[in-house]
Amino acid sequence: MRVAILISGRGSNMQALVHAAKAADYPADIALVLSNRPGAAGLAWAGERGIATACVDHKGYGKDREAFEQALHQALENAAIDWVCLAGFMRLLTPWFIERWHNRLINIHPSLLPAFKGLDTHERALQAGVKLHGCTVHFVRPQMDVGPIIAQTAVPVMDDDEPESLAQRVLGAEHALYPHALAQIVKGCHQEGWTIKDERVIGIAPLTKAAQSPND
Ligand code: GRF
């Protein structure tokens, strides 16, 4: 299974996926890292490690979102991609693109969805006073941060947390969750191991407690 990872910035989740996919028994290959920003740090990181990279700079398309997405789609087709992972990809995708990758397009979001959709999730979690926060991997649907949930990890919110310290705790959990969720989805797809029923994902094993906080 050939996976593309779409990024816009540092790409730490992309790095976690690349590291995980090195294991002989990992069911997917990271075949392409694609960015909409030529200067994305993650693009250079991947290129230095011999991973195929591409950039479709959204600035070259002005307001024409569909032309931008057609170029993205073409890059994915050229690389014979089966699955697309969004990992800090900061462009909203239109239904045109999302339909083409229906149930093959997944995203990671830094909150326990459906709470705290959108940006600044850690600040908003602190403001709301929640005691548990976390991250979610989900299938992408046209509405932002909506879609069948594949896997989630909760982390505690500490009394002295600042947005940055909470972000770091969630990010550590993301780095374990995303490789797990992708593996489950790709493996299960081969073996008919999961289904989506009424927009609920059924048949995905949760990440074990011990694997939720890697030392990274
Ligand atoms: C992560 O927190 C991810 O959940 C969100 O954007 C951030 C990307 O970070 N969608 P990185 O580029 O993977 O380091």
Side-chain angles (χ1 to χ4, degrees):
M1 285 286 169
R2 292 172 64 80
V3 173
I5 307 174
L6 269 56
I7 63 167
S8 297
R10 67 184 164 184
S12 71
N13 277 290
M14 177 272 294
Q15 293 181 24
L17 289 166
V18 166
H19 287 311
K22 282 187 187 147
D25 60 348
Y26 199 80
D29 287 326
I30 308 306
L32 180 67
V33 173
L34 181 53
S35 173
N36 66 309
R37 289 204 184 119
L43 206 55
W45 185 92
E48 282 158 16
R49 281 154 187 83
I51 299 163
T53 60
C55 180
V56 178
D57 187 348
H58 64 277
K59 288 192 180 140
Y61 296 87
K63 288 198 163 72
D64 192 347
R65 276 185 182 270
E66 193 161 319
F68 165 67
E69 291 183 357
Q70 271 169 4
L72 277 185
H73 185 66
Q74 196 55 56
L76 297 169
E77 295 270 285
N78 291 348
I81 294 302
D82 302 299
W83 294 88
V84 178
C85 291
L86 305 180
F89 185 70
M90 300 304 283
R91 302 299 292 173
L92 282 179
L93 294 165
T94 70
W96 182 88
F97 184 90
I98 292 169
E99 280 310 309
R100 260 148 204 81
W101 291 91
H102 187 66
N103 289 349
R104 291 186 297 148
L105 175 60
I106 69 180
N107 181 44
I108 187 157
H109 181 74
S111 78
L112 292 173
L113 289 174
F116 309 121
K117 294 169 186 155
L119 297 173
D120 302 325
T121 56
H122 311 302
E123 284 88 337
R124 287 158 54 216
L126 288 174
Q127 275 161 17
V130 296
K131 299 298 182 195
L132 285 175
H133 187 39
C135 49
T136 303
V137 177
H138 65 98
F139 285 107
V140 175
R141 296 290 184 260
Q143 252 181 304
M144 188 179 64
D145 299 328
V146 167
I149 292 172
I150 298 165
Q152 294 183 300
T153 300
V155 304
V157 179
M158 305 301 187
D159 288 346
D160 60 354
D161 264 333
E162 299 286 340
E164 192 47 40
S165 56
L166 186 53
Q168 282 308 317
R169 194 171 309 120
V170 172
L171 199 61
E174 290 184 45
H175 295 164
L177 188 68
Y178 213 172
H180 166 79
L182 176 66
Q184 289 283 310
I185 286 292
V186 168
K187 240 190 265 172
C189 167
H190 265 318
Q191 302 157 1
E192 301 291 325
W194 56 268
T195 51
I196 301 178
K197 196 165 173 250
D198 300 330
E199 291 295 81
R200 259 183 90 189
V201 182
I202 312 287
I204 295 289
L207 190 56
T208 61
K209 194 88 190 135
Q212 283 176 10
S213 315
N215 304 318
D216 61 344

